[in-house]
Amino acid sequence: EIVLTQSPATLSLSPGERATLSCRASQSVSSYLAWYQQKPGQAPRLLIYDASNRATGIPARFSGSGSGTDFTLTISSLEPEDLAVYYCQQRGNWPPTFGQGTKVEIK
Amino acid sequence: QVQLVESGGGVVQPGRSLRLSCEASGFTFRNYGMHWVRQAPAKGLEWLAVIWNDGNNKYYADSVKGRLTISRDNARNTLYLEMNSLRAEDTAVYYCARDIRDSGLDGIFDFWGQGALVTVSS
């Protein structure tokens, strides 16, 4: 089973700042990595799939990059509503697995 | 619009069974693979099981294999999760989620239900 390690555990930034979240896989998952946003009390929402493809309706300030074992989710200019936990998930090797999450706090 | 609505959660004693349902609307249910994912209190996400669109293939996480059964009724647009021999560590919010791919399976979860809370406690 592939282990995904996310860093940092918590990110505290001000509105308008750039957020960079990292996800590292224990072995290559090619480009088969997705990112989800989970706001407090809500279900997860798909943001990015296959490393860099934005899901339908996702704002352009969210972007993804990477391949192999190292991936990045970037929020170019933080909005107050981006307060959430962000999870990466791989589908390159069965079973699908998730990272432990990065909490984004807004100062 | 796509909607997934879970039901059947609640408090159950250790060792007992429970069945969750997930009613789907807003899309052609019989065309999509469906998954169950759970989240223990203040913890991360854990994928549990998947069923192909026609119900003929199913896969489970090793951690729950033999105790959980995923099934579906395409005539009723409903997904199920039968959970047996429940343990305290099964306490979690259980989400159903749609696979992104029409007539296939990609392992990407594009729509999620609101979740059903299952609490295993005596």
Side-chain angles (χ1 to χ4, degrees), chain B residues 69-83:
Chain B
T69 302
I70 189 172
S71 62
R72 65 191 296 160
D73 184 341
N74 285 344
R76 296 179 184 270
N77 291 341
T78 303
L79 175 73
Y80 302 101
L81 184 69
E82 183 81 33
M83 301 185 289

Side-chain angles (χ1 to χ4, degrees), chain A residues 44-60:
Chain A
R45 176 175 73 147
L46 177 66
L47 294 177
I48 302 284
Y49 64 94
D50 290 350
S52 61
N53 297 293
R54 266 191 305 276
T56 303
I58 301 304

Side-chain angles (χ1 to χ4, degrees), chain A residues 2 25-32 67-71 90 92-93:
Chain A
I2 290 182
S26 57
Q27 63 189 80
S28 176
V29 298
S30 185
S31 293
Y32 298 131
S67 66
T69 61
D70 290 294
F71 299 86
Q90 67 81 25
N93 283 272

Side-chain angles (χ1 to χ4, degrees), chain B:
Chain B
Q1 71 283 18
V2 172
Q3 275 201 302
L4 299 170
V5 180
E6 297 96 338
S7 60
V11 180
V12 60
Q13 292 179 328
R16 302 298 290 266
S17 299
L18 196 67
R19 187 177 81 160
L20 302 180
S21 300
C22 169
E23 187 170 347
S25 60
F27 65 103
T28 305
F29 181 70
R30 65 179 180 272
N31 285 359
Y32 288 84
M34 296 293 297
H35 304 261
W36 286 99
V37 176
R38 72 181 175 186
Q39 186 170 35
K43 298 291 186 183
L45 301 164
E46 179 186 15
W47 176 84
L48 297 176
V50 62
I51 185 167
W52 261 242
N53 61 314
D54 58 7
N56 287 338
N57 288 291
K58 309 169 187 181
Y59 286 103
Y60 299 91
D62 286 345
S63 60
V64 299
K65 201 175 292 183
R67 295 194 303 119
L68 269 57
T69 302
I70 189 172
S71 62
R72 65 191 296 160
D73 184 341
N74 285 344
R76 296 179 184 270
N77 291 341
T78 303
L79 175 73
Y80 302 101
L81 184 69
E82 183 81 33
M83 301 185 289
N84 299 315
S85 303
L86 283 162
R87 310 164 180 165
E89 53 265 36
D90 294 318
T91 295
V93 174
Y94 287 74
Y95 295 102
C96 61
R98 191 184 82 164
D99 195 278
I100 198 171
R101 189 172 171 187
D102 186 337
S103 302
L105 206 70
D106 269 351
I108 301 168
F109 318 117
D110 66 342
F111 287 95
W112 298 62
Q114 86 288 352
L117 176 61
V118 173
T119 302
V120 183
S121 173
S122 54

Side-chain angles (χ1 to χ4, degrees), chain A residues 5-89:
Chain A
T5 302
Q6 293 186 239
S7 61
T10 304
L11 197 54
S12 185
L13 296 168
S14 299
E17 288 193 296
R18 183 183 192 89
T20 303
L21 288 66
S22 174
C23 177
R24 176 163 289 177
S26 57
Q27 63 189 80
S28 176
V29 298
S30 185
S31 293
Y32 298 131
L33 190 105
W35 291 92
Y36 299 84
Q37 176 193 62
Q38 188 175 32
K39 295 183 178 181
Q42 296 186 16
R45 176 175 73 147
L46 177 66
L47 294 177
I48 302 284
Y49 64 94
D50 290 350
S52 61
N53 297 293
R54 266 191 305 276
T56 303
I58 301 304
R61 66 179 182 275
F62 292 94
S63 63
S65 63
S67 66
T69 61
D70 290 294
F71 299 86
T72 301
L73 173 70
T74 301
I75 310 173
S76 60
S77 179
L78 267 175
E79 301 279 346
E81 63 263 29
D82 297 334
L83 163 73
V85 178
Y86 294 81
Y87 294 95
C88 58
Q89 175 248 327

